[in-house]
Amino acid sequence: MLLHVSTAYVVGEQSGLILEKRFGMGETLRGDSDHYLDIEAEIELAETRKMELQADPNVTEAAQRQAMKELGLKRAKLFGWPNTYVFTKAMGEMVLGHLRPAELPLVILRPTIILSTLREPLPGWIEGTRTVDSLIIGYAKGKLSCLFGDLDLISDVVSGGSSLSFVMFIFGIGISSNRLSADVQIPGDMVVNAMAAAMAAHAGEGGEFIYHVGSSVRNPVAFSLIEQCGFRYFLENPRVTKSGKMRKTKRMPVFKNMFFFRAFMALRFKLPLELMHLVSLLSGGTIFASEYKKLNRIYKFGMHLVDLYQPYVFFKGRFDDKNLEGLRRSMAPRVDGEVNMFDFDPKHVDWELYFSTIHIPGVMKYSCK
């Protein structure tokens, strides 16, 4: 059999209840015949563009990478996907579904964004820093200045021996650029348990099976709860700087409106940067030149991420998991302990307890250096 780990966000910016449906070959999110997705043509286009850039002696390696990123984003948006990550994930699903022999079972698992472990291999374990963990670390280090998003919206969380997933991202500006990432981690045993259960259930069966692994339908949690848990944790566990001073715990301003958020960013960061640039120009490049280039590059990267993740921050969809619930029920009659061993039911997670005593402490222990 084939097991493909995709992402729930292959659906793009849909709202409402999102079903566990397969993609047809060439299907796009535009929903019209004018935008048929020819995957081979897209690969050829990318390869041709790459060769053109490599053949130009005036284009640096960094400029080549940037140009390819821009091309990928442009093509993704043309067909209705907000970024290249979910665009290529969708193409992967299409190719597997199209080329799969009829007798070969194909399981496509679509988890939402996953964070630290709930139980296995140990509570709160995590490697690297992704998505909402960047906010926790940025806040702990005093580098977070604001957030944008709607705290009242539902966050899609996956727990399973270890993980959380979010249907939306809330990004704070002020975190160092290497902390911000769109990559999806899958260290959690809930996702792993769902993978193991799906493989056991469909081994030897022909067909294509799609599962959403999330919590927004069966055990929803609002971002406001996550924010409250974080504030309470740092209030009870104040951070200390390298110099020995205690950081003051305070709530960050949250912008629900993108206009006000961008105005804040312009006044707080862009205006001082432009003043620095002016001083540099007037001095003939002897003052602030290198500092301006570095900070302006970070600012542009941060605002690029804002544009990239804005659709998720205000994401109003909920991922239906009827197929996954059916898989859970098929395991229920067993009495040999496998149901508890391979638990992937989000209803079994107390999110407030998880965030307060497992996830945030885990991020501080394993990821905050």
Side-chain angles (χ1 to χ4, degrees), residues 25-66:
M25 191 63 178
E27 180 181 349
T28 74
L29 298 182
R30 293 294 184 188
D32 58 63
S33 57
D34 295 333
H35 291 88
Y36 176 80
L37 175 57
D38 187 332
I39 296 177
E40 291 187 359
E42 292 301 311
I43 295 174
E44 183 178 351
L45 175 66
E47 290 178 343
T48 300
R49 179 56 177 155
K50 184 177 180 180
M51 288 189 292
E52 291 174 352
L53 292 168
Q54 291 176 335
D56 190 339
N58 297 319
V59 180
T60 65
E61 186 175 338
Q64 290 178 23
R65 289 196 299 269
Q66 183 60 34

Side-chain angles (χ1 to χ4, degrees), residues 51 78 124 200 316 318 328 335 352:
M51 288 189 292
L78 174 66
K316 295 183 179 180
R318 294 196 180 192
R328 279 193 286 265
V335 293
E352 183 173 2

Side-chain angles (χ1 to χ4, degrees), residues 258-295:
M258 287 303 297
F259 173 81
F260 291 113
F261 171 76
R262 292 183 184 279
F264 171 83
M265 292 300 298
L267 293 173
R268 177 71 181 272
F269 297 104
K270 188 60 177 176
L271 182 59
L273 274 174
E274 292 308 312
L275 290 175
M276 181 184 290
H277 189 208
L278 178 61
V279 172
S280 176
L281 292 175
L282 293 176
S283 67
T286 60
I287 302 176
F288 296 141
S290 59
E291 290 87 349
Y292 169 76
K293 288 182 180 179
K294 177 183 177 181
L295 294 174

